[in-house]
Every structure is written in C-alpha cells, then in structure tokens.
Amino acid sequence: MNIFAATGNLTLDALRETGRVSIFAGQGALAWFSGPFYWRAFFGALVRIGFTSLPVVGLTAIFTGAALALNIYDGSLRFNAETFLPQILSVSIVRELGPVLAALMVAGRCSSAMAAEIGTMRVTEQVDAMSTLAVDPFKYLIAPRILATTLVLPLLVLTADIIGIYGGYLVSVYALDFAGPVYIQNISEFIEARDVVTGLIKAGVFGFLISVMGCYYGYTSSGGAQGVGSATRTAVVASAVVVLASNYLLTSLFVQV
Amino acid sequence: MAKTDMKISVRNLHKKLGPRQVLRGIDLDVAKGQSLVVIGGSGSGKSVMLKCIIGLMKADKGEVVVDGRNIARHTEADRRFMTKQSGMLFQGSALFDSLRIWENVAFRLLHAEKSSRKAAQKKAMECLAQVGLAPEVGDLTPSELSGGMQKRVSLARAIASDPQILFFDEPTTGLDPIMADVINNLIVERVKALGATAISITHDMASARKIADEIAMLYQGCIIWRGKPDEIGNSDNPMVDQFVNGRAEGPITMSVKHV
Ligand SMILES: Nc1ncnc2c1ncn2[C@@H]1O[C@H](COP(=O)(O)OP(=O)(O)O)[C@@H](O)[C@H]1O
Ligand SMILES: [Mg+2]
C-alpha cells in the first residue's frame, strides 16, 4: 500500500469516528428532552462525578496556585512587576488553569469510569437486557451522565478557582511577604465577571465532551475484558485531547485579538 | 396451518455479521402458547437469531411477524411493540450488577411502567418466590449469588411483567445437572402459568426434551429439521443424529486444526 492511500484511509477513519461521536452526542443530548428522565440515575451521577471529584480537584488547584505564585513572582521580578502577582495569578487560574486542570482530572477519573461501567454492561449484555425491559439505555445510562457532568463541571471549576487563588495567597503571604488584605483587594478589583464566566462556559463544554467520550467508548465497546480495557484507555486519551483542543478554540473565541 | 394462527412467524431471515453470513434464510413458526426449542452447535447463530427476533439486532433481509405485524424493519414503534409483550433470559443472566436483586426483578416496573417502589418491590418478591428464592435474596447484589441463583433471578426478571412471549437463551448452560433440571421445571411451570409462547435456545438435549413442544435444529444458518421431542431420536437426518448423540464424527465438522 502506498503512503497516500494509507494517509487517506487514516483520515477517512478519523472523519467517520468524528461523525459517529457527533451523532452519539446529539442523541445523548436529545434524550434529555424526550420521554422519561431518570432522576435517580441523574442524581447518582451528580454525586459520583461532582462530589467525589472535589478532593482531587481541590488538591490539584491548591498546589498549582501555590507553584504559580512562586513562578509569577520570580518572572515578574525581572521587570519589577511583582506587585501585579495577585492579578496575573488570578486571571491565569480563573480563565485557564482552573477549567483545564479540573477538566483533565475529571477526564481521568470519570470518563474512564463511565467507559468501564457502560462497557462492562455492554459486553455482559446488560445493555441489551435493559432494552428488552422496555427501558432505553440512552435515557437511563447516557443522558443522565452527560447532563450531570455538563452541569457539575462548572461548579467544580468554581471551587478550583477559589482554592487555586487561595493556594497563591498562602505562598504570597507566608513566603513572599505580601499583605493578605492587599492580595485579596487587588484580585477583587481586577477580576471581571467576564474572566470567571468564560472559564465556567469552558467548563460546561468540557464536561459535555468528557462524558460523551466516556459514554461513547463504553457504549460501543465489544470483545470482553480486553475490549472494555481498550475502551477505557481510548476514552481517557480522547477526552483529554478534546478538552485541550476545544480549550484553544474556545479561548480564541473569547479573546478577540 | 394458516399464518394467522401463529404468534410468531419468521420468514427467510438473513443476517451477516462482519465477514460471516450467520443466518441464511431462517423459517420458523410458533403457535400461540407453544414452546419451541432451537438446538444447534456453539457459534451456529442461535443467539443472533433470537436477537433478530426480539429486535436487539436488525436483520438484513426477511420478516419477523408477531401477531400479524412485521417488525423486522426495526423501527422504534416495532421495537416497543415487541418489548412490551416479551421477556428474555440472557445466556449470561445479564443482571444489573449495580442494583440489588429485587431492583433487578422490578426494573421494568420501576423504570418503564412507573410503579411505586413499594408496589414494585412487592411484585418482585412474588416473582422471586415463584422461582423458589427466599425474600432475603432480594436485598443481595448479583455478585453475591451463585450461577444457578442468578439464572433464577434472571427468569424472575423476565416474567415480572407477565409477558406473552418468552425467550430463553441457553438457560441451563454452565449449571450442574440437578440445578439445570430445576431451571427446566421452573421454565415449563412459568410458561404454562402465563400461557406464554416461548422460544428457547440450547445445546443441552435433556433440557430441550424437557421444555419443548417442538424442537428445531439450526445448522449453517438454516433450520434443517423440525419435529416433536420424541421424534428426534429417529429423525433420519444424519446431522440431527450426530448432534443428539454428541459424536465428533459425522457430517457436522467442527473446524478444529489437527496438529
Ligand atoms: N456482535 C457480533 N459481531 C460480530 N460477529 C458476531 C456478533 N455476535 C455474534 N457473532 C458471530 O456470529 C456467530 C454466531 O454467534 P451466536 O449466535 O452467539 O452463536 P450461538 O449459536 O453459540 O449462540 C459467531 O460466529 C459469532 O462469532
Ligand atoms: Mg449463544
């Protein structure tokens, strides 16, 4: 086979997969609006995805905020701009690091869990059994997870924003001799609603994409334990990649140069 | 027999999966209240056939007529029509492992028929009793049960909404002979009690003889023989003979590579 044919086939495969994922995402979202909505499954997903992700998202945020404070201080010293540390730190966290890091943590934790759960149900025929019991697996398994992740990720990101800024505060006040009240005042005067809101919109989009990836690769998995294993792996990699790629696209929409 | 007497009529059903033509023109009729058992070797397409009939897979060609309605086009309405009146026991039980046993049995009542949890639990306990399980089992999870108990729960789940059509995919495979016989008896008893029409799949001849009003044999994607259970011993069909007597030598060759 020549290299052009190979490249062409790869491209076609990628396009086909993108098409299938898009249709899946559309069906998942449509399922919110038609027929029964399974509240119990939705709240279960909300707790599993949101509540249990709090510790890991919090830890990520506080250490990142702390390290960021040191780096910004060191960098801005070179042109005597270290007093702007709180402003730079907060805008970096709220716009970029909070959404992206929280989304990556959730991608690792939750899209893999979704792919494994739904994939196991698929290969053990539990998904088929559900259909024969007159319950649409799309409505029972997919729609609640996608909706829950889309709604809960902005909340997690808001938490990550606050904890991340607090991490920066700890370092600034206890290691870099900033005055606590000044740090907080600088940030509250500087940060605009736009900064926070764009970050939260990003988070919602990331949540949607992460859960679509987890559900899609689980739902379409086949071939026993190995199939579920590779579905899980693909789901994590795919959701991390779409988070990073869509992050750039969204940022370029929000930041008009 | 006129077509209208039939609860289920399958005509010329074809299904290709990957490179393999699994079903090549299945014809089957099951009269109302009858129990048909389909036998055939592993991998001969028995499960695929059942999935095409119940609507979990879309057939490439052919008709599946239930109560005079062709459901092989596999539309949303067709599938609802079929699932509404049927129940299925899966080869691996397929219990929902994140739910308790009673929630498994009451799954349809809880999530498709919007019963109250209390009423659903009561009905689930009744169904568990009908398959010989104690009420305490209701609060366990599927992983805490043995294979035989899982099959019983799966049977209870399939009958919980009093279906008119029941499908059993290898209900006794992997069970010891005594437990297999218990399951067979339960199937016969429950199908009779519901007055249901049943299609079962098995490669266990004892089970087939016990639960069948009629037996059909699937080979290479076609039904090659059909008759009463007591006729199967002298069917004059070399392939049926070989299967019933379980011989490696004969017209049916398993593709086993000799080293
Ligand atoms: N989802 C599927 N995709 C591809 N091939 C399948 C699928 N399901 C079954 N097959 C193939 O179809 C054939 C029949 O399978 P099956 O109906 O499960 O056999 P059995 O008679 O043991 O129940 C097998 O060769 C199997 O490999
Ligand atoms: Mg099978």
Side-chain angles (χ1 to χ4, degrees), chain B residues 3 7 45 51 53 57 82 84 96 181 198 204 206 214 248:
Chain B
K3 227 176 170 180
K7 181 76 182 170
K51 285 180 182 169
I53 297 177
M57 277 184 184
M82 192 62 181
K84 212 172 162 163
F96 305 123
D181 202 48
D204 169 0
E214 271 200 290

Side-chain angles (χ1 to χ4, degrees), chain A residues 36-38 40 120-121 124-136 140, chain B residues 51 54 56 83 86 88 90-92 94-97 107-108 111-112 114 117 157:
Chain A
F37 186 78
Y38 295 104
R40 197 175 274 268
T120 305
M121 293 186 73
T124 56
E125 298 187 309
Q126 292 177 52
V127 174
D128 286 339
M130 195 172 281
S131 302
T132 68
L133 293 167
V135 174
D136 184 350
Y140 189 85
Chain B
K51 285 180 182 169
I54 199 171
L56 289 171
T83 44
S86 56
M88 174 154 174
F90 283 81
Q91 196 165 345
L95 298 176
F96 305 123
D97 41 30
F107 194 81
R108 185 198 285 253
H111 300 296
K114 300 285 164 212
R117 280 182 83 73
R157 183 174 70 177

Side-chain angles (χ1 to χ4, degrees), chain B residues 120-195:
Chain B
Q121 185 162 18
K122 187 160 168 280
K123 175 77 184 173
M125 291 308 181
E126 277 170 35
C127 292
L128 285 174
Q130 284 168 354
V131 297
L133 290 175
E136 300 87 72
V137 175
D139 286 321
L140 303 176
T141 56
S143 59
E144 295 172 286
L145 303 188
S146 68
M149 285 165 98
Q150 290 187 359
K151 291 269 168 150
R152 290 195 204 203
V153 174
S154 192
L155 176 61
R157 183 174 70 177
I159 61 172
S161 56
D162 304 331
Q164 294 165 32
I165 306 176
L166 277 163
F167 297 98
F168 301 104
D169 191 348
E170 307 207 4
T172 57
T173 304
L175 301 180
D176 65 77
I178 298 174
M179 184 51 82
D181 202 48
V182 169
I183 297 284
N184 288 334
N185 286 337
L186 282 171
I187 288 177
V188 172
E189 184 191 311
R190 285 296 104 208
V191 170
K192 282 248 164 59
L194 289 167

Side-chain angles (χ1 to χ4, degrees), chain B residues 43 46-48 91 169-170 201:
Chain B
K46 304 184 297 296
S47 298
V48 171
Q91 196 165 345
D169 191 348
E170 307 207 4
I201 281 175

